[in-house]
Amino acid sequence: MSPVFARSPWALTILSLLNEKPMHPYEMRRLIRHRAKDEHIDLKPGSLYRTIEQLERTGMVEPTERSREGRFPERTVYAITEAGRDELEEWLREMLSSLQKDLPQFLAALTFLPSLTTQDVRSQLEKRVVRLEMAIAAMDVARTKMEGLLPRLFFLEEEYALAMRRAELDYVRA
């Protein structure tokens, strides 16, 4: 029986990066930070290497090169396999076309509002408005800096996140 592939935010991130080119985990982590992908994806620290091992066991990625420089640990460069590329494409198509049941913490909190007093709810929502306004301002600055540097395709998630924050702000204010 072959190992089962488990979809996760790390698996999606790793497969997507390796779809660009083969690379080692250190380079993956650097690109994730550089591209701010960890702003929109819940990437738990310490899971990168475990996920790479799982992807290798399930045939989604494979090592292509191992090297060592001086006393540094050995670096393994990984590449996506044909099976990994097929999985990535199928997974992305499904994510883009289907409605998933996302249950953000804010939605969960709204579900149980009767546990707080009306005044407490109002006070917390007023704090949320201020935080949303600050987040939107910061996102606007970041978006402005990115415009012209990269094609729009590379910051669509920023546009979406900004639109969602603005919609949330309108909702909370109402």
Side-chain angles (χ1 to χ4, degrees):
M1 187 168 135
S2 62
V4 176
F5 172 70
R7 289 179 172 181
S8 70
W10 267 118
L12 179 64
T13 303
I14 293 164
L15 290 174
S16 294
L17 288 171
L18 293 179
N19 195 45
E20 293 177 27
K21 69 175 187 162
M23 61 184 80
H24 53 80
Y26 177 79
E27 185 177 5
M28 289 180 215
R29 190 178 300 279
R30 186 184 60 74
L31 281 173
I32 290 165
R33 279 195 300 266
H34 178 72
R35 296 176 181 175
K37 297 302 182 190
D38 51 345
E39 291 291 320
H40 304 291
I41 304 169
D42 185 20
L43 299 174
K44 306 245 185 288
S47 298
L48 173 65
Y49 290 95
R50 281 193 311 274
T51 306
I52 290 171
E53 288 171 6
Q54 183 226 7
L55 289 169
E56 185 178 356
R57 275 194 314 275
T58 57
M60 301 291 157
V61 304
E62 61 189 4
T64 59
E65 175 187 329
R66 295 186 201 281
S67 64
R68 180 184 301 268
E69 291 180 24
R71 294 175 21 196
F72 292 105
E74 183 177 83
R75 279 196 176 163
T76 303
V77 173
Y78 292 91
I80 193 168
T81 63
E82 197 59 42
R85 190 169 286 105
D86 291 345
E87 173 63 24
L88 174 62
E89 291 173 2
E90 177 185 325
W91 189 1
L92 286 172
R93 286 183 186 112
E94 184 180 310
M95 290 173 69
L96 288 169
S97 65
S98 303
L99 296 178
Q100 292 87 23
K101 192 170 189 176
D102 293 338
L103 295 176
Q105 289 187 359
F106 183 59
L107 184 56
L110 291 176
T111 303
F112 300 108
L113 279 184
S115 296
L116 298 175
T117 66
T118 304
Q119 184 54 37
D120 195 5
V121 169
R122 180 179 299 279
S123 175
Q124 301 314 313
L125 291 177
E126 287 169 353
K127 290 177 188 176
R128 189 173 190 93
V129 163
V130 171
R131 289 182 177 121
L132 284 166
E133 289 170 339
M134 290 170 46
I136 289 168
M139 292 169 88
D140 270 333
V141 168
R143 185 181 51 84
T144 301
K145 286 181 181 177
M146 289 169 62
E147 285 179 350
L149 295 177
L150 295 170
R152 183 171 173 232
L153 175 65
F154 289 99
F155 54 94
L156 288 175
E157 73 271 17
E158 289 294 324
E159 285 183 15
Y160 177 78
L162 182 57
M164 296 307 292
R165 287 290 187 198
R166 285 182 173 146
E168 182 181 341
L169 178 59
D170 291 345
Y171 175 81
V172 173
R173 281 183 174 152

